[in-house]
Amino acid sequence: CLVERHLNFSNQGRSDQPSGLTGFARARIMTLVDESLQQDLSSEVLAKAANLSVGHFNRAFKESFGTTPHQYILETRVARAAQLLSMSDLDINSIARACGFS
């Protein structure tokens, strides 16, 4: 039947399609987070940078990074703060502001 052939054709390859972010989007998001830790980095901001809807971005991000965007940003902020604490003479308040902690 024509309808069955159309349905089978339109569903072909769906299981083979990657569900995570593309390499380009992944690199763009990592760079954006790294360069913007002191700013508010909402899922909306990150999804826009990846040119995806928020829902699709959140699913693709979790698939690519194994964590939520919020958790990834928090872990990146903590790692940057630890690095600055051990390698700079900045006071803790300055480091907190530079890493997006208020």
Side-chain angles (χ1 to χ4, degrees):
C1 165
L2 181 61
V3 173
E4 288 176 342
R5 281 197 338 228
H6 175 72
L7 289 174
N8 287 335
F9 177 76
S10 65
N11 288 328
Q12 285 180 341
R14 294 251 167 130
S15 62
D16 295 336
Q17 291 179 347
S19 56
L21 296 170
T22 65
F24 177 78
R26 185 179 164 106
R28 186 172 180 164
I29 295 304
M30 290 171 67
T31 299
L32 179 61
V33 169
D34 189 54
E35 293 176 352
S36 306
L37 284 179
Q38 72 283 0
Q39 299 173 9
D40 178 30
L41 292 169
S42 64
S43 287
E44 290 80 12
V45 169
L46 298 175
K48 186 175 181 180
N51 200 28
L52 296 171
S53 70
V54 174
H56 187 198
F57 171 77
N58 284 332
R59 285 187 295 279
F61 188 97
K62 177 92 178 197
E63 180 72 25
S64 294
F65 289 90
T67 189
T68 64
H70 175 76
Q71 188 64 36
Y72 175 81
I73 292 166
L74 182 60
E75 290 171 3
T76 304
R77 285 179 169 151
V78 169
R80 172 76 55 82
Q83 179 186 31
L84 290 173
L85 283 168
S86 68
M87 300 178 69
S88 76
D89 293 331
L90 293 172
D91 64 274
I92 195 160
N93 289 327
S94 297
I95 291 173
R97 281 191 302 277
C99 296
F101 295 111
S102 47

